[in-house]
Amino acid sequence: MTDKPVVVLTHHLLPEVQRDMESRWNLIQVEGGKLNLAEVLSARPEARALISFLSEPVTREVLKCTPNLEIIANYAVGYNNIDVEAAIENGIWVTHTPDVLTAATADQTMALLLAVARRVVEGDRLVRAGGFDGWASDLMLGRELNGAIMGIVGMGRIGSAVAARAEAFGMRVIYHSRSRKPLLEKERGYRFVEFDDLVESADILSLHLPYSPRVHHLIDQSVLARMKPDAFLINVARGPLVDEAALARCLKEGCIGGAGLDVYEHEPRVNPLLTTLGNVVLAPHSGSATGHTRMQMGRMVENSVVAALAGKRPPHLVLEWRERKPESDPRV
Ligand code: GLV
Ligand code: GLV
């Protein structure tokens, strides 16, 4: 047997990254549809690191099963799947993968927006079904993005990258965010507005804020009803930000123009009504899914675990950990 540290992983990673990890650690890869993380970790009490994924909640209960854990390295920028408070109380580091996926996720936002606005998926289906009978002046009329108002909720790294892309397409950017961005307002001309204003003025409403219970169903029936009737909703953030059943009804009734979704309220389940509608484009939570980005996410996770297992403060700590005062920080 090996005396390398035991590191548990609940999805496979890109082969290059995983081979590297296997050479460093005793990497235990447990994969499966309905994974019970508490059981997995109970069976591995010697585990010192967990590489976690947004599909597996790391709850207080889960943490009780793992006495020797030193770090949870989340392979995602969003970390609402982790009870960070419970981890901090137990002196367990929590890291994530910011920055490296910003461009890929912003690209996915534009991909969904363009697909909805120009009916790319509908058109593809038409052609494949043999329904393209020849050019016509009114075939697959879509919506112009030039001059449209892009309303961004959450002007962080990803929101800003989406804003830059929107600008390049000739859109005007308004935003609502926890904090104002004076530099972006001054240099790029983005306008901060109240949330209600944003909802009512935006031609495209695009979500780029982290999920927490505080913003559960931020986009609900009443918000959808106040959007412009031809507006698009784009969600590449987290499913439960949107009341998915209300959105499906609204898209069916035509109370907004369309939607592009990368994430779902009950992933991997998708509201069945959504899958019958032509005015929504559905992606399988693949916002950061480029080879380049996934490689970098893997390296980032690896570096965080390496540092933590060497007794150092790991890079890429989540906000709550970074904000801890050193004197209350059990590990510094
Ligand atoms: C993906 O959803 C992520 O948070 O990285
Ligand atoms: C994501 O991490 C963001 O800040 O937008």
Side-chain angles (χ1 to χ4, degrees), residues 210-236:
Y211 176 79
S212 72
R214 200 176 48 80
V215 284
H216 185 79
H217 284 186
L218 176 72
I219 308 298
D220 61 7
Q221 174 62 44
S222 74
V223 168
L224 291 164
R226 280 182 286 131
M227 286 172 68
K228 290 182 178 172
D230 55 355
F232 301 135
L233 175 72
I234 309 292
N235 188 7
V236 299

Side-chain angles (χ1 to χ4, degrees), residues 77-78 96-99 101-102 154-160 208-210:
V77 66
H96 65 148
T97 60
D99 302 317
L101 45 61
T102 299
M155 194 58 110
R157 289 165 288 232
I158 296 170
S160 313
H208 302 287
L209 68 167

Side-chain angles (χ1 to χ4, degrees), residues 12 30 41 49 86 100 115 128 145 178 184 186 197 200-201 219 236 241 258 267:
H12 61 272
V30 212
L41 291 170
V100 291
R128 285 173 199 254
L145 294 182
R178 260 183 308 191
L184 290 177
K186 184 157 164 274
D197 251 4
E200 286 164 22
S201 320
I219 308 298
V236 299
L241 291 169
E267 258 168 58

Side-chain angles (χ1 to χ4, degrees), residues 123-236:
D124 180 85
R125 279 195 286 256
L126 179 86
V127 174
R128 285 173 199 254
F132 177 42
D133 303 325
W135 186 90
S137 66
D138 56 355
L139 180 62
M140 285 283 153
L141 292 192
R143 159 154 208 180
E144 192 101 2
L145 294 182
N146 186 37
I149 299 177
M150 166 62 96
I152 292 180
V153 189
M155 194 58 110
R157 289 165 288 232
I158 296 170
S160 313
V162 169
R165 284 158 178 72
E167 259 190 284
F169 276 83
M171 292 181 244
R172 272 192 294 140
V173 176
I174 59 176
Y175 76 100
H176 185 80
S177 204
R178 260 183 308 191
S179 59
R180 292 281 289 261
K181 310 289 170 189
L183 207 61
L184 290 177
E185 292 181 25
K186 184 157 164 274
E187 291 183 354
R188 322 292 314 188
Y190 305 160
R191 201 158 55 80
F192 177 90
V193 295
E194 289 309 323
F195 180 71
D196 287 341
D197 251 4
L198 189 87
V199 165
E200 286 164 22
S201 320
D203 295 311
I204 298 117
L205 191 63
S206 197
L207 307 181
H208 302 287
L209 68 167
Y211 176 79
S212 72
R214 200 176 48 80
V215 284
H216 185 79
H217 284 186
L218 176 72
I219 308 298
D220 61 7
Q221 174 62 44
S222 74
V223 168
L224 291 164
R226 280 182 286 131
M227 286 172 68
K228 290 182 178 172
D230 55 355
F232 301 135
L233 175 72
I234 309 292
N235 188 7
V236 299

Side-chain angles (χ1 to χ4, degrees), residues 23-60:
S23 71
R24 291 177 184 279
W25 309 314
N26 180 6
L27 194 68
I28 311 289
Q29 186 194 326
V30 212
E31 251 183 312
K34 284 240 159 42
L35 198 71
N36 183 328
L37 203 49
E39 270 174 28
V40 168
L41 291 170
S42 298
R44 292 284 170 181
E46 70 280 32
R48 291 176 58 195
L50 169 66
I51 297 175
S52 59
F53 297 83
L54 52 97
S55 41
E56 272 87 45
V58 185
T59 59
R60 191 174 282 277

